[in-house]
Amino acid sequence: MSKKIVIDAGHGGDDPGASGNEIIEKDLTLKIAEYLNKRFNELGVENSMTRTTDTTLDPTDRVNKALSFYGNGSDVILLSNHINAGGGDVTTW
C-alpha cells in the first residue's frame, strides 16, 4: 500500500505565528510546504497541501481540509510544520 501525504503549512492569513529577525512563521512554513510538495512530486509520492497561499484556516477548517484529500486511513501521513520561537509550555499528548 502506498502512502499519501497531506502537507500542512502552519498558521497563515490572519495568524502569523511566531516572528523575529524579519522572519514570519506563516511565510516560512508555506515555503517549507512548497518545497516538500515539489520534492514529493519529483519522487512520485501522492501529496496535497492544506494551503498554497497566505490564507487563514481555523482549526476546524484545517482538519476538514486535511481530511478532504484522502480521508483518515492508515495510508495517510499528515505533515504539519511549525517554527516555534521558544518559550511557552510543552504539551504532552
Side-chain angles (χ1 to χ4, degrees):
M1 163 182 1
S2 71
K3 301 290 184 182
K4 299 171 201 89
I5 299 174
V6 177
I7 305 164
D8 177 44
H11 304 284
D14 296 334
D15 179 8
S19 63
N21 299 318
E22 300 180 24
I23 296 170
I24 301 172
E25 184 175 3
K26 69 178 184 175
D27 298 334
L28 191 54
T29 60
L30 184 57
K31 286 181 182 181
I32 291 167
E34 290 168 339
Y35 170 81
L36 290 170
N37 171 259
K38 178 182 175 208
R39 189 67 183 122
F40 288 136
N41 286 338
E42 290 169 353
L43 295 169
V45 176
E46 190 172 352
N47 72 93
S48 296
M49 294 171 56
T50 57
R51 68 180 183 94
T52 57
T53 61
D54 185 21
T55 54
T56 302
L57 291 173
D58 70 34
T60 300
D61 291 338
R62 191 173 297 275
V63 170
N64 289 337
K65 180 87 177 222
L67 290 171
S68 74
F69 297 115
Y70 312 113
N72 65 350
S74 62
D75 60 336
V76 180
I77 297 170
L78 172 66
L79 296 178
S80 183
N81 69 72
H82 289 265
I83 313 298
N84 294 332
D89 295 325
V90 175
T91 302
T92 304
W93 296 93

